Amino acid sequence: MGAFFNTVKGFVFVFNIICVIIDVANLVIDGLGVKYSAPGSDGHAFFILGILLCGLLIMTTVIGCYGVCSEILGVNVIYSIFMLSLLIIEYLEIRSFQPHGIYFHTLQSLETAWRVVGINPEPMDDIQRRLHCCGLFSGQDYAFKHMSIPDSCLSVEGSSVTTHQIGCLDAHWKSHINMTRRQQCFYWALLAAESFTLLYSIVFCVLIHRRRHHRSANNLDDVREVIIQQNNIGSRQRLL
């Protein structure tokens, strides 16, 4: 019983730490989502909600770690209820996630940057440096605008200088797909970690309750033995 209790206790603590690590990664992803999504859009609200939920999860995890260390039944029950609530909310959040809104917003920014590249090349240069691309479809697009290829299209590898072959439209789409997959991966990993944490937390609560009941039963048996011994001593004294 003692070894199993300590094993479950260790699992709850370890999964809490795993939740915190994944949660920090999700905070970074949600922060980037807020940066690249349009204010007031569904995607922007989604990432804001994600940041709030991540903050609540970190606070809940702190409560869980305290409950594990203190072995207080009430704290662990409250922690399990909070974890179950967050698990349901985050699952509904993931199911309602619509990444196409973010894609169209950043696509609009790309088109705007390309439209004014002859007047203000800095936005397009930033996109080309970030996505390692050149032009809208390819580097030849600059020839149609009667412009030379900017330095942001160049890639320096040792002593050789090459031009990025991929256009920013294709690079933007690939970046969006990778970001979406990364988000989904971290979100589902967090849900899995929370599910295991909740499972072991419930088992831990049951074990704490059984241990408390077992100790109460032992204390009651001890009290009965003391009463019986006192009665026996009293009976002997009367006989004497």
Side-chain angles (χ1 to χ4, degrees), residues 189-205:
L190 181 60
L191 280 181
E194 288 179 6
S195 300
F196 281 111
T197 306
L198 177 62
L199 175 63
Y200 281 106
S201 177
I202 293 173
V203 175
F204 189 58
C205 289

Side-chain angles (χ1 to χ4, degrees), residues 135-160:
L136 197 61
F137 297 98
S138 66
Q140 296 179 355
D141 294 337
Y142 281 98
F144 295 114
K145 284 184 172 287
H146 305 288
M147 297 175 60
S148 60
I149 294 178
D151 294 339
S152 58
C153 284
L154 303 179
S155 175
V156 180
E157 297 180 0
S159 58
S160 61

Side-chain angles (χ1 to χ4, degrees), residues 1 6 25 63 67 72 80-81 95 104 124 128 130 151 194 219 232 234 240:
M1 180 67 179
N6 291 329
I63 296 175
I72 300 175
S80 299
I81 294 173
R95 297 295 296 178
F104 287 123
M124 195 65 194
Q128 289 172 156
R130 178 167 55 86
D151 294 339
E194 288 179 6
N219 292 334
N232 291 334
L240 294 175

Side-chain angles (χ1 to χ4, degrees), residues 63-128:
I63 296 175
C65 291
Y66 171 74
V68 169
C69 296
S70 62
E71 299 181 6
I72 300 175
L73 179 60
V75 175
N76 284 279
V77 170
I78 294 173
Y79 166 72
S80 299
I81 294 173
F82 269 82
M83 186 62 73
L84 178 61
S85 302
L86 287 174
L87 188 63
I88 295 173
I89 294 173
E90 289 179 359
Y91 175 76
L92 295 176
E93 181 195 18
I94 293 175
R95 297 295 296 178
S96 63
F97 178 50
Q98 297 178 352
H100 59 270
I102 304 171
Y103 172 73
F104 287 123
H105 173 68
T106 52
L107 180 62
Q108 184 179 7
S109 300
L110 172 61
E111 292 176 348
T112 303
W114 178 251
R115 193 179 301 116
V116 299
V117 68
I119 304 173
N120 182 19
E122 291 184 1
M124 195 65 194
D125 287 338
D126 292 338
I127 294 174
Q128 289 172 156

Side-chain angles (χ1 to χ4, degrees), residues 4 15 18 21 36-38 59 61 94-95 107 125 130 144 151 166 176 178-180 190 238:
F4 182 68
F15 276 115
I18 294 175
I21 294 173
Y36 293 113
S37 59
M59 294 175 60
T61 304
I94 293 175
R95 297 295 296 178
L107 180 62
D125 287 338
R130 178 167 55 86
F144 295 114
D151 294 339
I166 187 173
H176 171 72
N178 291 332
M179 183 190 71
T180 303
L190 181 60
R238 291 175 184 175

